[in-house]
């Protein structure tokens, strides 16, 4: 049986990124799962979402507990995010994996540029 320590260390790094930056753990998980997960592209994205969901829940609970969350500001984004998540799930099998990779790369590039400016 292969050691589970690399996966645990990667999970810790993703959780740390998510906790420090309020998100981004999925950006850590995706390349790690693509390298070590032996998953097809579609399984890769779905598994990443399944893994990051509890990590985000823990980060959100910590922010809430420490008084760092503003529900009034978060609710409009939550409503749109839920709708977008539902729509993305419906489109999941209809978009080619190659296009998904390009969209994800474009999003990362845009986010990185916006963050630096």
């Amino acid at each position: 049986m292969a050691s589970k320590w690399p996966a645990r260390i990667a999970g810790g790094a993703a959780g740390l990124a998510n906790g420090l930056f309020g998100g981004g753990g999925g950006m850590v998980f995706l390349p790690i799962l693509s390298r070590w997960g032996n998953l097809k592209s579609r399984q890769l994205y779905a598994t990443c979402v399944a893994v990051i969901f509890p990590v985000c829940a823990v980060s959100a609970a910590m922010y809430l507990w420490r008084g760092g969350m503003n529900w009034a500001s978060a609710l409009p984004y939550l409503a749109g995010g839920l709708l977008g998540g539902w729509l993305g799930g419906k489109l999941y099998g209809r978009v080619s994996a190659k296009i998904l990779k390009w969209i994800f790369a474009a999003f990362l590039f845009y986010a990185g540029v916006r963050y630096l400016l």
Side-chain angles (χ1 to χ4, degrees):
M1 183 170 162
S3 172
K4 295 190 190 250
W5 281 106
R8 291 178 178 141
I9 292 168
L16 183 64
N18 208 72
L20 284 173
F21 305 124
M27 288 182 233
V28 174
F29 274 128
L30 194 64
I32 290 168
L33 283 172
S34 69
R35 178 173 216 144
W36 294 330
N38 296 326
L39 301 169
K40 295 178 182 175
S41 291
R42 295 204 184 283
Q43 292 174 320
L44 175 66
Y45 293 111
T47 303
C48 187
V49 169
V51 171
I52 201 63
F53 176 71
V55 173
C56 287
V58 169
S59 295
M62 289 302 298
Y63 293 147
L64 183 62
W65 181 54
R66 298 194 62 161
M69 189 184 315
N70 182 326
W71 280 106
S73 295
L75 286 177
Y77 296 100
L78 180 60
L82 291 172
L83 180 61
W86 177 81
L87 182 60
K90 295 291 278 182
L91 294 172
Y92 171 70
R94 297 182 180 159
V95 179
S96 77
K98 186 174 183 176
I99 291 175
L100 287 175
K101 288 179 184 181
W102 277 99
I103 291 170
F104 187 71
F107 170 75
L108 289 178
F109 179 75
Y110 171 77
V113 169
R114 289 287 300 170
Y115 184 73
L116 291 174
L117 297 178

